Amino acid sequence: MNTIAVANSKSLVPPDKTTSLGAIAGTRALGPDILRAVAILLVMLLHLPAEATPLPLVGIRPYGWLGVDIFFVLSGFLIGTQLMAEAARRDSVDFKSFYLRRAFRILPAFLVVLALYTFIPSLRDTPTMQPAWRFLTSILNFGLDPRSGGAFTEAWSLSVETHFYLILPVLVFLLKRRATMVFIAILAATIVIAGMGLRFAIWRSLVGAPAEVHEYGQAFATYLRDIYYPTYNRLDGLTFGVALAAVRLFRPLLWERYMPPYIALVLGSILATAALMIFSGRGPFAETHLPLLLQPFPGTVVGFPLFSAGVTLILGAMLDLQPKIGRWHLPAITGIATLSYSLYLTHKAVYQLDRMVFGRENLQGLSGFVIYVATCFIVAAALWFVVERSFLHLRDHLVPRSR
């Protein structure tokens, strides 16, 4: 594992600004790709109709929404590593380069899919859709009631990511010489604990009331609108990911001493499993068929940070095990990870397209599953080659990485 010598224990800025920081920030490893592939497959499985879900996947399908939480941990780690490595190397943050590179990465494919949803209503997975300006201004996840427009609502997580991109560079710039590991630990703990308290209060005041009188549909919509979608309730994964980046960049010996890979892997698996057990407890929703996404307050309060912490430890372990797993030849994993963003944007519209082309009666059982998976990857690959890859090449030509 590459390490960074830090002589000053009170500062996160290493005195020797070597290229190892840039190497760490730019390295693509198989471990993150494995988690990214798992995340997108879980999301796709969640939105697959029950009649087309193979029996071995039936028990996994209700937990598919956790794929988004895996994405948040990965994003927190990768973007946090990039920004903090740059701040340590250059003693500054190149805001222009960062935001332009993010825009080239995120916007082209997103705008293409948004345009298709807007101008071809037959592609929508539900008849109604939120106004386009809510997508374009990245406020979709605030006040989002799926009953008043549910098409393309998976873009709510892109709004969370956008807010993260806006805030983190500023924080890194302001704190680059002032923050210590103790300060970062306190800040991360404050964010996580505040989120737990906020979700608890909202659940008790808004979600619990209709649940107690068995208005489950209203409780579900309220839960999504006021707890699940808003950015201020979904910072757990991003926070843990950034904290992992800080520790591995600036206190690698501390990580190596207390979190060797197999310990981190076991502990992370235990935490993630504990979160799944908490999520499985249905409480007042035990007699409903609503998805496990609708959580009673134990899952709402502690499930999110517990699962994110587990994924974070697993990610750290896989990064440490990269010299071993990096020798594995897994082109399918790399391919799925590469297409993950295009898959995320298009998979719900693709199933709607499948119903139009093949007929809903032909999208059941194993054949329906095969058609769904195949068409999802065909469309995602087309979007990747035509849009994503083209704009990434253009980005690398017009907006080089900060040095």
Side-chain angles (χ1 to χ4, degrees), residues 122-146:
S122 58
L123 290 178
R124 299 174 184 176
D125 44 289
T126 61
T128 57
M129 179 174 165
Q130 298 289 325
W133 65 267
R134 284 176 55 81
F135 294 88
L136 295 172
T137 55
S138 296
I139 63 169
L140 176 69
N141 64 322
F142 293 118
L144 175 55
D145 189 334

Side-chain angles (χ1 to χ4, degrees), residues 19-137:
T19 55
S20 59
L21 285 168
I24 291 174
T27 298
R28 177 161 188 163
L30 181 59
D33 273 356
I34 291 174
L35 288 176
R36 190 176 289 108
V38 169
I40 188 58
L41 292 176
L42 282 172
V43 173
M44 291 171 62
L45 180 61
L46 174 69
H47 296 134
L48 177 66
E51 60 269 19
T53 304
L55 186 60
L57 299 178
V58 170
I60 301 174
R61 181 174 174 270
Y63 298 94
W65 56 276
L66 289 169
V68 175
D69 294 79
I70 298 175
F71 278 129
F72 283 157
V73 172
L74 287 168
S75 183
F77 172 74
L78 296 172
I79 300 301
T81 299
Q82 174 187 337
L83 288 169
M84 288 186 287
E86 179 188 353
R89 186 176 64 249
R90 301 176 63 248
D91 197 24
S92 182
V93 173
D94 189 339
F95 290 94
K96 179 181 178 181
S97 175
F98 174 78
Y99 288 127
L100 281 175
R101 291 184 68 83
R102 283 289 91 195
F104 272 97
R105 175 69 184 91
I106 299 298
L107 289 180
F110 168 70
L111 292 176
V112 167
V113 176
L114 177 61
L116 291 174
Y117 266 102
T118 302
F119 298 111
I120 309 179
S122 58
L123 290 178
R124 299 174 184 176
D125 44 289
T126 61
T128 57
M129 179 174 165
Q130 298 289 325
W133 65 267
R134 284 176 55 81
F135 294 88
L136 295 172
T137 55

Side-chain angles (χ1 to χ4, degrees), residues 240-302:
F240 278 112
V242 173
L244 176 65
V247 173
R248 291 181 63 87
L249 274 172
F250 302 109
R251 294 294 185 272
L253 297 180
L254 187 69
W255 174 265
E256 289 177 356
R257 179 180 302 172
Y258 294 104
M259 280 296 162
Y262 294 107
I263 296 296
L265 193 61
V266 170
L267 182 57
S269 300
I270 291 173
L271 293 179
T273 302
L276 293 177
M277 294 175 65
I278 293 173
F279 288 138
S280 298
R282 304 301 290 138
F285 312 114
E287 298 179 359
T288 76
H289 297 290
L290 292 174
L292 287 176
L293 175 56
L294 175 56
Q295 288 294 311
F297 73 83
T300 299
V301 176
V302 302

